[in-house]
Amino acid sequence: MESNIKTTDKEQHIPVTATYVGGPTVVLHIGGFCIMTDPTLDPEGTSFVINEKMTESKLSGPAIIPEKPVDIVLLSHDQHFDNLDGKGREYLKAVTATLTTKKGAERLKGNSIGLNPNDAKSYRSALGDEIKITATHARHGPAGIEKLTGDVIGFHIAVSGKHNFEIYITGDTVFYHEIENLGRTINPAYIFVFAGAARPRGPFNLTMGTNDVLDTAHVFPKSIIIPVHSEGWSHYTENNTNLTEAFEILGIKERLKILEPGVETILPLP
């Protein structure tokens, strides 16, 4: 079933813009809608205890907080503070809908809509654009990690209307066969990769490291790669500098786009 969402005059003229907030959080104006990924809006210095050996700390606060609530939140999962912190959780109450995992929606309740991988929701804007959001597979670490990290999803966004295009948001995942399979079925202009090689639990990554991002770029050879979840938290072990160096070495620097925090950036469409 489609839902109607109003659009602003600004959105009628610019098909896609992205504003990096911090951590995994980006505000997208896309296809006539305002979308936010994993809301992390707590101030710098906020800490969360994971277990007796590990505490996560925010190294920087949000670059901006939208003046008005967004239409849709795409929440890869709710169980980890670096993807949904205290103020982010409060922010969910004001948005039109939050798309997340089935178990996450059960915990969050309210406006949350639970999706399994391959489930989809469609919306139509006042401009007549249709936006179809499909949950994608994600694995929050190495094989066998699911019992520790819980369910997580990514999102594929397909916009049909005056401009037809696709965007892929990986969510918290490493590169594995399901992402390779996606490379055969979707053709995103931009991929927001949740990078940072997060290591909150042990000697393994729970999000994409440099190699994972490069592998993702390889299976989506026409996509521009935009890293998020790579700056601003203490348990990220890699950052955008590492990614830039790696893409330069392989001669594909033009395929990596680093967003400046707090600055609305137009994303040109093919």
Side-chain angles (χ1 to χ4, degrees), residues 169-239:
I169 299 166
T170 68
D172 272 14
T173 188
V174 294
F175 183 86
Y176 73 124
H177 69 277
E178 291 289 3
I179 294 177
E180 191 168 15
N181 290 340
L182 269 179
R184 304 185 183 99
T185 60
I186 67 174
N187 185 31
Y190 295 92
I191 301 177
F192 290 83
V193 293
F194 283 36
R199 288 192 171 193
R201 292 181 178 271
F204 45 79
N205 295 341
L206 298 187
T207 58
M208 288 195 186
T210 299
N211 284 5
D212 297 275
V213 176
L214 290 170
D215 285 339
T216 301
H218 179 73
V219 300
F220 294 97
K222 296 180 180 180
S223 303
I224 298 297
I225 306 298
I226 302 177
V228 297
H229 196 285
S230 50
E231 305 278 353
W233 285 83
S234 60
H235 61 299
Y236 300 166
T237 63
E238 296 181 11
N239 55 37

Side-chain angles (χ1 to χ4, degrees), residues 8 62 82 116 161 170 189 199 256:
T8 66
D82 64 321
N116 288 319
T170 68
R199 288 192 171 193
L256 185 71

